[in-house]
Amino acid sequence: MKRAVAQLFGLCYISFATFLMLFSERLSPMVHESVKQHHARISAEIRRHNRLYYQLDRPEISDAEYDRLFRELQGLETKHPELASADSPVRQVGAPPAGKFSPVRHAVPMLSLRNARDLAEFREFDKSLRQTFLAGVDLLEYACEMKLDGVAVELSYEHGHLVRASTRGDGSVGEDITDNIRTLTGIPHQLKDYPPLLDVRGEVFIDLDDFQRLNRRQQEAGEKTFANPRNAAAGSLRQLDAAVTASRSLRMYCYGVGRGEGLDLPTQLAILKQLQDYGLPVNLTGTSLCLGPDQVAECFNHLLAQRETLGYEIDGMVVKVNDLELQQELGELNRRPRWAIALKFPPRQATTRVESVVLQVGRTGAITPVAHLEPVNISGVTVSRASLHNWDEIARLGLLSGDSVIVERAGDVIPDIVKVLHQRRSGAEQQIPFPEWCPECEAPVSKEENEVVPRCTNSSCPARTIERLKHFVSRGAMNIDGLGEKQLRQLNDLGKVHDCADLYQLGQPDLFAMERMGETLAGKLLQSIADSRTRPLSRLIFALGIRHVGEQTAKLLARSFANLEALAQAEPEELKQLHEIGDKVAESLCDFFRDPLQIDLLQRLRENGVDPQSEAVATQGGPLSGKSVVITGTLQRWSRREAEQRVEHLGGRCASSVSKKTAMVIAGDNAGSKLDKARALGIEILDEQRFAELVEGAQP
Ligand code: D41
């Protein structure tokens, strides 16, 4: 059904183009103008989607829809070769770099892949290779690899040492992401055995559970969440602060070679094995050798069945002619090798109807619209809700409540609405108004200028209260067992619990007022509340639900301050000295700790015995105790993140910029302005060797 609908769409679109083309061929040159215009319009649209996808990590259409546009353009250019200019999107790969990082020219261009939508298209590809280029060959040997849905990157090794990493960019020039790539634990900084020069290509991706954890963290910190794992990987790689990349558990699998001096191998499979022997991560178990298209089909169906069990997203299979001599012979066309093709999985889409749009109020007061759908099955999962994100998204889709829509599951998250089927409207559909009052407490709603979400302004809104309590007791926070949403609502309705401090004043009689609460259960609950008093400081900071303070930031703060009192007293400038704390977080912290309601709450928490002390106290007395340290330049022995951890282990605190408060600067290779500034200020400077001695000296 979903395929049929998708095809119907494709048909409508293509038939319009065909109509124009037929017209242009039979009639006047004036009509030909409209084909030109159509071509220009699709080209511009594809360029826009390239930019959204490759540079902004914010795609607006599904891959399947993009493919349709692309094929339409290809079709037009085949019919009218005079339209095919050198800069047509048909001949481009991705998008040029967005300019955040320095450009890197790939010594050997990184090619793109052509696509086959199904096995029939793959069989055509196989047939045309054999007939057009390899007359007489019956069965071609193919290496079939999983097509990871991530970000293509290149790693350059000189004498086995990782010297540069770059994104693919437009295939010729990408962006320098060396610092970020160095934080990936699976990528060796030094190869075991190596040729003098090696450029390796591969895909960086994120596991589904890490992706979900990341999105939870982002949401809890009030940051933007990622639409799918691919965007999360792309966004995490393109961080200006490598420490952020380090916290995101990215992985990489290598699949090919650019420059490879002294590398003389017969097949694609031999390349993969060689890369593995060098110590690089390769997905060999996900790769099969297939003789002829029947075996490829079998392998594809097997992979399709495996897809849901992998723990990471793949969106198809890449089929490559295994023999490298044959590859050479086949060459490339339009910056795509003739010897490889991506056999894509069918999109996980379905058509359903939006029954209603419900407004949810989060703990920070953010009001988000959620579409309730007529339940529909998408590849084995029943879907009844879709996220709408915000009103910009509703406007972009042109969505009304009651509309028929296409929903798409991407990477195990709550699905997205990708398209509204406007032609199916009955007239009974209704606008989704921007809220003026909170749907829960009817307090007025405010919207800050630079934000897309409306917020409830009432900090004691019952919906917010419950969400705050849910967050406080959640597993990553104070981890109090037995207190779910239902129990918290009851306690709140009974007037027993208004905020988290109230939890610590509960006694057995209070609990007995709840439904189905016996002595044993009440005892257990009181015990788990009591146990939570000893949670580490980082958990408590996170549990308070301060805007922009996620788990990572909470950990950092807990390492830097002795207790909550000390954190509450910190000046914004002092906070900003910490690595990873920017203006936004510092301001949010100060707002929180200056709010009289919160001051009262913290006092009551303390009075009830919730006052954990920093775990970092243990490192007090270390050689860097209490010192603010700045690391700059490239270190050989450690990644930036590892070096920071060592500084923290020695009792120090890492800051990102040099100031009068900096006690020490650790300078690696190619250190620049920070080192100059440190010299000018007369700050103690350690080179890598002396820092290493300090680390070793402190080891037990
Ligand atoms: O797993 C992948 N996404 C993957 C991508 C793969 N397994 N193999 C690939 N091989 C190539 C060629 C044949 C051009 C060396 C690729 C890609 N290219 C690719 N990834 C992004 C653009 C092209």
Side-chain angles (χ1 to χ4, degrees):
M1 174 64 186
K2 62 188 175 195
R3 291 286 286 169
V5 171
Q7 274 160 4
L8 192 65
F9 257 122
L11 232 87
C12 294
Y13 218 47
I14 287 166
S15 57
F16 173 60
T18 317
F19 165 77
L20 287 175
M21 282 187 296
L22 287 176
F23 217 57
S24 70
E25 270 161 10
R26 305 240 171 99
L27 296 174
S28 68
M30 202 190 80
V31 184
H32 193 207
E33 215 27 54
S34 58
V35 178
K36 258 198 205 157
Q37 276 173 8
H38 186 58
H39 176 272
R41 210 176 49 235
I42 306 181
S43 300
E45 203 170 326
I46 292 179
R47 283 203 189 93
R48 191 171 86 83
H49 290 304
N50 278 347
R51 223 172 73 77
L52 286 164
Y53 183 92
Y54 289 106
Q55 293 182 349
L56 305 173
D57 306 323
R58 207 183 61 214
E60 285 181 0
I61 56 176
S62 67
D63 286 1
E65 230 167 304
Y66 178 86
D67 271 2
R68 274 195 295 275
L69 279 175
F70 195 89
R71 277 162 190 264
E72 186 173 359
L73 193 69
Q74 257 178 337
L76 275 175
E77 295 193 2
T78 312
K79 264 243 160 78
H80 304 274
E82 69 275 17
L83 291 175
S85 64
D87 68 342
S88 158
V90 169
R91 267 160 299 285
Q92 305 225 309
V93 182
K100 255 211 280 190
F101 300 83
S102 348
V104 175
R105 181 165 287 278
H106 303 296
V108 177
M110 291 179 79
L111 300 181
S112 182
L113 284 167
R114 46 206 283 212
N115 285 334
R117 262 177 300 190
D118 50 34
L119 281 164
E121 285 191 0
F122 172 74
R123 285 179 192 278
E124 272 170 40
F125 161 85
D126 171 73
K127 196 165 141 199
S128 120
L129 278 193
R130 286 180 297 111
Q131 287 184 344
T132 322
F133 304 99
L134 311 165
V137 177
D138 273 347
L139 290 175
L140 269 171
E141 189 178 57
Y142 291 109
C144 297
E145 301 168 7
M146 290 184 186
K147 184 172 184 299
L148 293 156
D149 196 7
V151 186
V153 304
E154 176 169 77
L155 313 176
S156 298
Y157 286 91
E158 286 174 15
H159 302 290
H161 189 68
L162 176 63
V163 292
R164 178 132 294 107
S166 50
T167 61
R168 185 175 54 132
D170 64 2
S172 302
V173 178
E175 292 178 311
D176 189 330
I177 49 163
T178 313
D179 285 344
N180 294 351
I181 281 289
R182 284 208 171 107
T183 69
L184 270 65
T185 48
I187 295 181
H189 293 192
Q190 178 70 45
L191 300 180
K192 286 185 203 155
D193 161 32
Y194 47 83
L197 197 63
L198 180 70
D199 290 341
V200 196
R201 276 90 189 262
E203 199 85 359
V204 171
F205 63 100
I206 184 168
D207 282 341
L208 289 173
D209 54 358
D210 285 320
F211 163 65
Q212 276 164 352
R213 213 168 293 143
L214 168 61
N215 258 359
R216 251 192 327 264
R217 244 164 49 197
Q218 292 287 106
Q219 188 152 36
E220 277 156 1
E223 301 281 339
K224 79 160 197 188
T225 54
F226 296 99
N228 55 49
R230 200 210 78 88
N231 290 345
S236 303
L237 266 188
R238 301 177 74 262
Q239 287 289 331
L240 286 173
D241 183 350
V244 177
T245 313
S247 71
R248 302 246 170 120
S249 319
L250 299 178
R251 296 177 61 197
M252 178 172 180
Y253 276 136
C254 301
Y255 57 69
V257 170
R259 284 181 308 182
E261 242 171 53
L263 220 66
D264 185 20
L265 295 162
T267 61
Q268 167 67 10
L269 201 65
I271 291 184
L272 295 181
K273 286 192 173 135
Q274 179 64 266
L275 293 179
Q276 187 167 57
D277 288 344
Y278 288 152
L280 289 158
V282 177
N283 189 5
L284 266 181
T285 52
T287 305
S288 318
L289 265 193
C290 293
L291 202 58
D294 288 347
Q295 285 191 7
V296 171
E298 203 179 313
C299 187
F300 179 72
N301 289 326
H302 182 71
L303 195 58
L304 196 54
Q306 243 189 316
R307 180 187 197 183
E308 311 295 338
T309 65
L310 289 173
Y312 49 84
E313 257 303 85
I314 57 173
D315 60 348
M317 186 163 96
V318 185
V319 189
K320 303 177 181 176
V321 171
N322 193 35
D323 188 295
L324 298 195
E325 258 177 46
L326 273 187
Q327 286 188 4
Q328 280 269 304
E329 226 168 281
L330 288 166
E332 60 180 80
L333 174 70
N334 288 340
R335 308 182 72 182
R336 291 167 174 81
R338 279 212 182 84
W339 45 268
I341 194 161
L343 184 43
K344 299 285 280 271
F345 288 149
R348 293 194 272 211
Q349 287 188 341
T351 303
T352 184
R353 208 178 63 86
V354 175
E355 285 179 335
S356 61
V357 172
V358 173
L359 304 185
Q360 279 184 352
V361 184
R363 103 186 114 77
T364 58
I367 300 173
T368 42
V370 175
H372 286 210
L373 307 169
E374 264 171 23
V376 61
N377 188 304
I378 312 185
S379 57
V381 176
T382 303
V383 167
S384 55
R385 275 159 196 241
S387 48
L388 284 169
H389 307 288
N390 54 56
W391 271 265
D392 282 4
E393 171 82 354
I394 292 175
R396 189 184 70 72
L397 287 165
L399 179 74
L400 301 181
S401 182
D403 264 336
S404 290
V405 292
I406 295 179
V407 285
E408 181 170 290
R409 259 183 74 206
D412 247 27
V413 276
I414 165 166
D416 270 318
I417 293 179
V418 291
K419 197 178 195 107
V420 173
L421 303 178
H422 295 281
Q423 72 274 28
R424 291 210 192 167
R425 285 210 173 134
S426 69
E429 293 78 12
Q430 295 194 335
Q431 291 284 343
I432 304 160
F434 190 87
E436 283 177 62
W437 290 280
C438 171
E440 296 276 346
C441 72
E442 296 182 1
V445 156
S446 77
K447 182 172 159 316
E448 282 169 41
E449 223 168 86
N450 51 356
E451 284 200 13
V452 284
V453 293
R455 284 176 198 278
C456 166
T457 49
N458 171 12
S459 65
S460 32
C461 165
R464 296 181 61 180
T465 304
I466 297 296
E467 289 301 317
R468 267 198 300 263
L469 288 168
K470 264 166 66 183
H471 173 70
F472 186 83
V473 303
S474 69
R475 199 171 277 173
M478 298 299 265
N479 193 14
I480 303 180
D481 257 359
L483 278 182
E485 172 160 356
K486 227 163 133 191
Q487 290 79 9
L488 291 170
R489 271 191 195 281
Q490 276 188 47
L491 287 168
N492 185 244
D493 289 346
L494 291 166
K496 309 277 184 207
V497 175
H498 303 283
D499 60 31
C500 58
D502 292 340
L503 291 173
Y504 296 94
Q505 295 209 305
L506 287 173
Q508 257 192 357
D510 299 314
L511 296 186
F512 284 155
M514 292 165 74
E515 278 170 35
R516 279 191 287 277
M517 183 59 72
E519 207 157 311
T520 326
L521 206 53
K524 269 193 185 160
L525 197 50
L526 290 177
Q527 189 58 47
S528 51
I529 294 174
D531 287 348
S532 74
R533 288 197 171 92
T534 58
R535 299 275 180 265
L537 178 61
S538 57
R539 295 270 199 131
L540 178 61
I541 296 173
F542 175 60
L544 291 174
I546 305 164
R547 257 174 96 188
H548 307 305
V549 177
E551 272 177 288
Q552 291 295 320
T553 308
K555 278 187 189 155
L556 172 83
L557 292 169
R559 282 199 299 268
S560 312
F561 293 91
N563 50 37
L564 214 49
E565 177 78 39
L567 174 60
Q569 302 301 328
E571 292 295 328
E573 287 315 309
E574 196 178 340
L575 291 165
K576 279 189 250 176
Q577 276 288 308
L578 298 174
H579 206 57
E580 283 187 64
I581 304 270
D583 293 353
K584 201 169 62 175
V585 180
E587 196 177 308
S588 169
L589 281 162
C590 291
D591 285 352
F592 182 89
F593 287 113
R594 278 197 208 115
D595 178 348
L597 272 176
Q598 307 299 351
I599 294 173
D600 171 65
L601 178 78
L602 298 187
Q603 164 125 20
R604 285 188 297 119
L605 277 172
R606 246 190 326 271
E607 285 166 5
N608 282 289
V610 186
D611 190 18
Q613 301 297 305
S614 173
E615 304 100 90
V617 173
T619 55
Q620 269 182 6
L624 299 181
S625 177
K627 289 185 177 172
S628 170
V629 177
V630 173
I631 305 174
T632 180
T634 312
L635 300 176
Q636 300 303 328
R637 210 170 304 204
W638 299 285
S639 71
R640 182 60 69 88
R641 184 83 207 123
E642 286 164 350
E644 282 170 9
Q645 280 165 354
R646 291 196 167 55
V647 166
E648 282 157 10
H649 188 75
L650 298 172
R653 244 169 29 200
C654 288
S656 53
S657 59
V658 175
S659 73
K660 275 183 287 184
K661 286 191 188 167
T662 310
M664 181 187 287
V665 168
I666 297 166
D669 294 346
N670 303 319
S673 59
K674 290 183 193 175
L675 181 58
D676 296 341
K677 187 164 178 193
R679 287 205 181 103
L681 291 170
I683 291 165
E684 184 181 2
I685 295 163
L686 250 61
D687 63 11
E688 180 165 355
Q689 181 57 33
R690 282 184 49 215
F691 177 54
E693 285 162 15
L694 196 64
V695 170
E696 273 150 28
Q699 232 123 68

